[in-house]
Amino acid sequence: MELSVVILNYKVPHYLMLCLESVSKAIKNMKAEIIVIDNNSEDESLALTHHHFPEVKTIANKENAGFSKANNLAVKQAKGEYLCILNPDTVVAEDCFEKLLKLYKSKKNLGAIGTQLIDGKGYFLPESKRNIPNPKVAFQKLIGQDKDYYNNNLQTHENGKTDVLVGAFMFLKRQDYLTVKGFDEDFFMYGEDIDLSYKLLKNKRDNYYAGNIKTIHFKGESTVKNKQYYDRFFGAMLIFYKKHYNNKLLEYSLKFALGFLKSTASQKKKNQTTETYHEAIIITDQQNNFKGLEKKFNKVYFYTKREISTINLSTLRKKYIIFDMSTMRYMEVIEKIVNWRDIPAKIRIRPEGINFCVGSDSKDEQGEMLSLDL
């Protein structure tokens, strides 16, 4: 088997359906498998998976085992020569994995490959390519000075080596994953992808950023810097530094910094967008699929896929834009989202054959699900 796509899910059933559909289309011409491991979501995630994607292998944890442990459990059941560790709130293009395989085979001594991640509005996510976070860089990141945390030597659309990739999307050989013993299970949340990237580098592998391949990463969880965030981020950094640096003075310095930042941390969450849009543009060749949605808007405009080029961009303002994936290809939708990113509109995607659409308007906000039911 060529590829095993491992998706760790936790309480994002609707995003998971969109992710699974995009991955299913991307492995259509490959010998590949999809493994979903659920961290005790206690929602409809696995029921929806079994119903809409019966071919997907599922693992149901009885507790929230964290990112590292859950992924390691799933990889133990993987059979592919290659692995893709993938978040459930991602969307891949149809040619994503074929391009990655070709790229991997064209290079020597590769470790993991990551793609250009964009948010639900089409804006680049800088964590796609990062540097090793020494203590000074980690502290600067937490106080909002992050230019040294990210790899700015590579342009967004370039391909090239980078020290650290993000755990939302990591493509590598399964044997390399096993050789470095996968994700360190001392990390529950944050830091495990830094550690894995660093272990691959120490094993004389080069991590690589593929800027010519775009992947949507909705990032539904808020990243507000409250006390819990500092606990988790600094906790992860402490594990990383104790493991790879073993410096007591450094450990004490970080603990002091953590105490200071926690004492000044705001518990207030960022305001989410509250503006309501009352009109929608739906791109589909099957209008009957959206009868239920028509009831939710004052006005709905339908365009077929062929008519997209005729849309006046000014008419997209202050509207929902809904892509029907029974009509569109994911690579087309990803490009449209990027091209239309500066237009004030809410972009949503409807997985083929599923009665809802999902999307997100900011990397710092919760996403939205719109039901198509009457």
Side-chain angles (χ1 to χ4, degrees):
M1 184 174 288
E2 283 182 295
L3 174 65
S4 297
V5 181
V6 173
I7 302 170
L8 169 59
N9 180 71
Y10 184 65
K11 295 186 176 182
V12 285
H14 304 105
Y15 280 127
L16 177 62
M17 294 303 99
L18 184 62
C19 177
L20 286 175
E21 199 212 10
S22 73
V23 171
S24 296
K25 290 182 176 180
I27 64 171
K28 186 176 180 180
N29 299 318
M30 302 172 63
K31 293 181 179 178
E33 65 178 353
I34 305 171
I35 301 172
V36 170
I37 181 164
D38 183 78
N39 259 346
N40 195 31
S41 293
E42 296 184 323
D43 60 16
E44 57 185 336
S45 294
L46 290 182
L48 285 172
T49 300
H50 295 152
H51 178 74
H52 292 288
F53 302 96
E55 73 281 4
V56 170
K57 180 184 291 187
T58 59
I59 303 170
N61 281 341
K62 295 182 179 179
E63 61 179 3
N64 183 357
F67 186 90
S68 298
K69 186 175 182 179
N71 273 296
N72 289 344
L73 284 170
V75 171
K76 287 180 181 179
Q77 298 192 27
K79 299 176 181 177
E81 179 183 359
Y82 294 87
L83 285 175
C84 183
I85 305 297
L86 192 65
N87 265 31
D89 56 348
T90 56
V91 175
V92 302
E94 287 83 355
D95 59 354
C96 174
F97 298 126
E98 291 177 354
K99 280 185 174 180
L100 287 171
L101 278 173
K102 185 177 180 179
L103 176 60
Y104 198 102
K105 293 174 181 179
S106 71
K107 304 288 182 183
K108 292 183 179 180
N109 299 319
L110 278 189
I113 306 177
T115 64
Q116 180 191 153
L117 300 180
I118 60 173
D119 66 15
K121 279 291 291 180
Y123 292 103
F124 172 66
L125 295 171
E127 61 264 30
S128 304
K129 47 185 179 69
R130 290 177 286 172
N131 300 314
I132 295 294
N134 63 45
K136 179 181 177 181
V137 169
F139 183 79
Q140 288 175 334
K141 163 88 166 55
L142 283 169
I143 62 174
Q145 301 174 9
D146 54 18
K147 66 181 181 65
D148 294 326
Y149 184 79
Y150 302 116
N151 180 358
N152 295 311
N153 293 323
L154 277 176
Q155 296 299 309
T156 301
H157 299 286
E158 279 188 310
N159 290 1
K161 296 178 184 178
T162 193
D163 287 340
V164 176
L165 299 169
V166 64
F169 192 120
M170 299 183 84
F171 181 94
L172 69 165
K173 277 199 167 182
R174 180 165 60 95
Q175 187 54 55
D176 283 339
Y177 185 95
L178 296 175
T179 297
V180 299
K181 298 182 180 179
F183 290 114
D184 187 330
E185 295 180 13
D186 285 342
F187 295 91
F188 183 85
M189 184 178 181
Y190 298 121
E192 63 285 311
D193 47 3
I194 298 173
D195 181 72
L196 181 62
S197 297
Y198 191 56
K199 288 191 295 184
L200 289 167
L201 293 175
K202 290 173 69 175
N203 203 43
K204 298 182 179 180
R205 293 288 190 267
D206 295 323
N207 299 319
Y208 202 83
Y209 167 74
N212 65 326
I213 303 173
K214 298 184 185 72
T215 301
I216 299 173
H217 183 202
F218 289 109
K219 294 191 68 171
E221 289 293 324
S222 175
T223 54
V224 62
K225 291 179 175 59
N226 56 23
K227 292 182 179 181
Q228 184 182 59
Y229 171 84
Y230 286 124
D231 270 333
R232 287 175 172 174
F233 186 91
F234 259 107
M237 291 300 98
L238 279 171
I239 295 170
F240 180 78
Y241 296 139
K242 287 171 72 173
K243 177 179 177 180
H244 296 291
Y245 289 75
N246 194 25
N247 185 316
K248 286 291 184 184
L249 178 60
L250 171 60
E251 181 180 343
Y252 293 142
S253 298
L254 279 173
K255 286 181 178 179
F256 174 81
L258 172 59
F260 171 76
L261 287 170
K262 282 178 66 178
S263 68
T264 59
S266 171
Q267 292 296 310
K268 294 181 180 180
K269 293 188 175 182
K270 294 182 180 180
N271 293 327
Q272 296 197 8
T273 303
T274 56
E275 187 173 5
T276 301
Y277 296 169
H278 300 287
E279 297 184 349
I281 288 177
I282 302 175
I283 300 169
T284 182
D285 293 330
Q286 301 177 28
Q287 294 188 21
N288 288 337
N289 290 334
F290 294 89
K291 292 296 183 183
L293 204 56
E294 287 185 81
K295 305 287 187 181
K296 302 179 190 297
F297 295 100
N298 294 342
K299 184 72 175 179
V300 174
Y301 307 87
F302 286 100
Y303 287 86
T304 67
K305 179 179 176 179
R306 292 181 181 179
E307 294 171 333
I308 292 179
S309 60
T310 70
I311 299 175
N312 185 330
L313 296 187
S314 66
T315 65
L316 300 178
R317 295 174 58 86
K318 306 292 184 179
K319 293 181 179 66
Y320 276 84
I321 303 170
I322 299 170
F323 291 105
D324 180 8
M325 298 317 300
S326 64
T327 294
M328 302 290 294
R329 301 181 74 192
Y330 280 101
M331 61 178 67
E332 296 168 334
V333 171
I334 290 170
E335 287 304 315
K336 285 298 179 187
I337 289 174
V338 172
N339 292 339
W340 294 349
R341 63 190 170 196
D342 292 324
I343 297 172
K346 296 177 179 290
I347 296 177
R348 304 292 181 259
I349 305 173
R350 178 212 175 220
E352 185 174 358
I354 299 180
N355 66 340
F356 55 77
C357 54
V358 294
S360 174
D361 303 315
S362 166
K363 65 183 178 64
D364 297 320
E365 295 181 3
Q366 296 288 343
E368 179 185 32
M369 187 276 288
L370 292 175
S371 174
L372 305 187
D373 290 335
L374 291 169

